[in-house]
Amino acid sequence: MGLFDRFSTRPARSSTSGDSSGQDALALIDQGNALEDKGLLDQALDCYKAAIRQAPTLARAHLNHGNVLLEMGNAEGALAAYATALAHNPDYAAAHYNIGNAFLKSGRPQAALAAYDKAVELKADFADAHAARGNVLHDLGQLDEAQASYRLALALKPDQAEIHYCLGRILTRLRRLDEAAECFRRAGMLRPD
């Protein structure tokens, strides 16, 4: 699973109405997102740092800062940025999710699982976090728990080919071959490539 979709976490613009530094920070985040989409990570990072200078308590600026650091291979720096985001907004499910991603990149699956658990505790309909939990549980050999996480993710996002495929792998290992074949068929229909 990748980084949490930053666009789905954007608060409404009105949340900073009357605060020009907050509005400026949001504009810088938007600019950073556009640069990041073009693969211009250094420039995106500069935008997120500028957003942090404009609005130091804006958790989303720290989240995006961490996302770029993680993408650049700096998992420890990303963890620090996510921790700062959580210091400003402890209930930020996306930050907990991305902490899990950073822990995975650092080879710490148990810590990743704890972070994903916290993300779904805060946001029960967080399909990406359920799927990420499934991936870690699968890697840890906890197949029944992994299957349950994948099924929760699919209940929330039934058109995710990757999750159908992952569930199919689990069901294959559990020797539930008819169910596995159906998962693989569904994945192929959703992503013929």
Side-chain angles (χ1 to χ4, degrees):
M1 298 287 113
L3 295 175
F4 185 66
D5 180 358
R6 64 184 178 263
F7 300 108
S8 65
T9 64
R10 288 187 181 172
R13 291 274 183 191
S14 61
S15 68
T16 59
S17 60
D19 178 0
S20 65
S21 65
Q23 290 294 333
D24 292 344
L26 290 174
L28 285 163
I29 290 171
D30 288 342
Q31 184 181 353
N33 290 343
L35 291 164
E36 198 175 339
D37 289 342
K38 293 177 184 174
L40 302 171
L41 300 182
D42 289 326
Q43 293 172 6
L45 189 63
D46 290 341
C47 286
Y48 300 141
K49 287 178 180 177
I52 291 167
R53 285 190 299 275
Q54 286 285 326
T57 63
L58 182 61
R60 196 158 54 99
H62 295 283
L63 178 84
N64 285 22
H65 179 222
N67 291 349
V68 171
L69 291 172
L70 189 59
E71 196 169 341
M72 296 171 98
N74 183 353
E76 294 306 316
L79 284 167
Y82 299 143
T84 303
L86 289 175
H88 298 297
N89 182 356
D91 295 333
Y92 200 178
H96 288 285
Y97 170 77
N98 285 349
I99 284 173
N101 294 336
F103 278 136
L104 273 184
K105 289 222 178 188
S106 299
R108 296 181 263 180
Q110 292 291 346
L113 184 59
Y116 296 141
D117 286 344
K118 184 64 177 178
V120 297
E121 176 188 318
L122 292 167
K123 185 173 171 30
D125 65 346
F126 199 158
D128 290 346
H130 286 292
R133 282 187 83 255
N135 290 341
V136 174
L137 290 164
H138 184 189
D139 291 345
L140 294 173
Q142 299 176 28
L143 302 185
D144 290 330
E145 295 88 346
Q147 175 192 178
S149 287
Y150 289 139
R151 289 189 188 280
L152 282 168
L154 285 172
L156 296 164
K157 281 188 170 180
D159 293 334
Q160 295 297 306
E162 295 83 1
I163 301 171
H164 284 283
Y165 174 78
C166 290
L167 179 57
R169 289 179 49 222
I170 294 286
L171 294 169
T172 299
R173 289 188 64 191
L174 293 172
R175 303 280 188 239
R176 294 166 55 184
L177 301 181
D178 289 341
E179 290 176 78
E182 177 59 26
C183 288
F184 293 136
R185 183 190 66 74
R186 180 77 174 141
M189 286 176 43
L190 291 167
R191 289 262 316 267
D193 59 326

